[in-house]
Amino acid sequence: MRSAILVGASIFGSAFAAAIPAALGSPSVYPALTDKSQLPAVFKLARGSLSNAPPPPQGALSADAITSLQFIEFNELFESAFFLSLLANVTNNVPGFQINDQDERNYVIDSITAIVAQEELHAINADNALRSQLAPTIQPCTYKYGTTSFVDAITFAALFTDVVLGTLQDVIQLLAISKDVGLTRGVAASLGQEGQQSGFFRLVENRNKIPSEQPFLTTSTRDFAFSALQQNVIVSCPNDSILKNKLKLYAPLNVLTTNIPAADQTLNFSIDINTIATSNVFKPASGSWSAYGKTFNAAYDWSQTSIVYINSQNLPVVVKPTNVKVAGTVISFSANFPQNTNLMNGLTLAALTHTAGPFPNASSVADATLFGPGLIEVN
Ligand SMILES: *[C@@H]1O[C@H](CO)[C@@H](O)[C@H](O)[C@H]1NC(C)=O
Ligand SMILES: *[C@@H]1O[C@H](CO)[C@@H](O)[C@H](O)[C@H]1NC(C)=O
Ligand SMILES: *[C@@H]1O[C@H](CO)[C@@H](O)[C@H](O)[C@H]1NC(C)=O
Ligand SMILES: *[C@@H]1O[C@H](CO)[C@@H](O)[C@H](O)[C@H]1NC(C)=O
């Protein structure tokens, strides 16, 4: 099926337009979140149910586990909305989302229908666990996707799913640290499930990618994932202050280089001082900004910062920004990306940090980050 995706001139009439199952709801309203009578229909579409084991007793979960569950609900609601939009576009033959081969189109629709229902159940699972603790739940947000073709949307899905695959590793480790052992198995079950989705995306992207990208998937942290979602897909959100009070929200680090090949190379980046106001890492300090006890503005010597790459389960790689240029509020610079030397395949997270480390793990990078994450995907 690999080469059968042909996106182009429409050969479809309205006869091919199928209806999207009503139980999946709309990107802002998921009936099964509030109306449990919809759940059996969602289970059927997801090809499986929520666990029928009882929820944890009230008071059993730590405050940090509640933060993780709120982050998971926030993220899974976005994923549900994205795939519902993609399903609607393919089903309705929206220009750019037409798949000419009928067998391929049916397979994609079947797969994405199940993925929407599965993501909704991931969100409902987190929602139920939060309710069991009488903790605040997260409502769906308004999202923007910026993808206008099937291949772009699948490529973006592969990218954010890789971020999720890294972040659920962080969640499991944090649950272990806070001794919330009861939640770890279910999070691992959804991590593997999203890994199966990732293999499907890599295949239908049709760029000769093999389904499994590397032996040990790139790790991430809740702060990086929350920042990536806020920067790239969130328009407005009724409940995101809950997470902004508990997780770091960085200012964006733009990766200017596109179509990054598998090779050692120099990448170009930029940051914009004007975006600092969106971050909760910086505080205003008499015409400048302060973070981590230092003062930053356009006149700061940005060559003192570092670019840190996180890939696989390896120690973070630290390089220095070079060729720093200031144009108004925008600071652009270059940095070495030793992709081939370090075999940095799949997802790499890039962060601009205020120190050069050394960083023993991804959390220590997150704790020193000013701008990020830049998302780089190779092979
Ligand atoms: C669906 O199509 C609309 C219109 O082209 C587009 O704005 C939106 O981003 C698409 N959704 C996805 C998930 O790509
Ligand atoms: C979450 O958003 C909903 C909808 O606006 C609101 O009713 C609810 O109070 C919010 N919850 C919290 C904890 O802020
Ligand atoms: C990177 O920036 C340098 C100088 O600012 C420029 O000469 C070069 O073409 C850029 N490279 C890419 C790949 O954009
Ligand atoms: C990460 O490294 C820091 C030291 O910088 C250490 O304090 C922390 O426990 C480590 N975190 C994890 C989750 O391994």
Side-chain angles (χ1 to χ4, degrees), residues 217-241:
L217 296 179
T218 295
T219 199
S220 174
T221 71
R222 296 181 307 194
D223 298 320
F224 285 133
F226 179 59
S227 297
L229 288 170
Q230 285 285 345
Q231 293 166 15
N232 294 298
V233 302
I234 299 295
V235 176
S236 64
C237 217
N239 297 139
D240 62 356
S241 61

Side-chain angles (χ1 to χ4, degrees), residues 170 173-174 177 358-365 367:
D170 190 42
Q173 187 170 37
L174 292 169
I177 290 169
F359 299 108
N361 54 43
S363 326
S364 60
V365 180
D367 288 343

Side-chain angles (χ1 to χ4, degrees), residues 74-274:
F74 176 79
N75 175 63
E76 298 288 353
L77 288 171
F78 155 67
E79 292 195 282
S80 305
F82 180 89
F83 291 114
L84 195 51
S85 170
L86 180 56
L87 178 63
N89 287 357
V90 174
T91 303
N92 298 323
N93 300 308
V94 168
F97 293 84
Q98 296 146 337
I99 300 172
N100 291 347
D101 183 289
Q102 273 311 295
D103 289 342
E104 179 106 25
R105 183 171 180 274
N106 290 338
Y107 180 72
V108 165
I109 288 176
D110 282 354
S111 302
I112 298 179
T113 300
I115 287 172
V116 176
Q118 289 160 352
E119 300 292 13
E120 289 187 10
L121 292 184
H122 292 168
I124 292 168
N125 187 46
D127 193 90
N128 285 346
L130 289 167
R131 283 175 200 278
S132 75
Q133 305 302 301
L134 307 179
T137 58
I138 305 289
Q139 304 291 313
C141 307
T142 308
Y143 309 98
K144 59 175 192 289
Y145 309 124
T147 46
T148 52
S149 76
F150 179 72
V151 173
D152 280 358
I154 288 289
T155 303
F156 185 50
L159 179 67
F160 68 67
T161 300
D162 274 350
V163 176
V164 176
L165 290 168
T167 309
L168 294 181
Q169 299 169 29
D170 190 42
V171 167
I172 291 172
Q173 187 170 37
L174 292 169
L175 291 172
I177 290 169
S178 59
K179 300 196 163 61
D180 291 284
V181 178
L183 293 182
T184 52
R185 193 177 288 259
V187 177
S190 64
L191 197 164
Q193 197 278 343
E194 303 246 354
Q196 292 185 319
Q197 292 183 33
S198 162
F200 164 74
F201 302 145
R202 290 170 59 81
L203 203 63
V204 293
E205 232 183 280
N206 202 19
R207 292 189 171 123
N208 290 321
K209 290 182 177 173
I210 59 167
S212 52
E213 63 189 43
Q214 49 177 342
F216 299 100
L217 296 179
T218 295
T219 199
S220 174
T221 71
R222 296 181 307 194
D223 298 320
F224 285 133
F226 179 59
S227 297
L229 288 170
Q230 285 285 345
Q231 293 166 15
N232 294 298
V233 302
I234 299 295
V235 176
S236 64
C237 217
N239 297 139
D240 62 356
S241 61
I242 297 173
L243 287 166
K244 282 179 181 162
N245 290 336
K246 299 197 272 191
L247 298 179
K248 288 199 162 98
L249 173 54
Y250 308 112
L253 170 64
N254 307 304
V255 184
L256 302 180
T257 312
T258 53
N259 300 319
I260 298 170
D264 288 354
Q265 63 203 283
T266 301
L267 298 180
N268 288 346
F269 295 91
S270 74
I271 57 175
D272 187 340
I273 298 294
N274 281 342

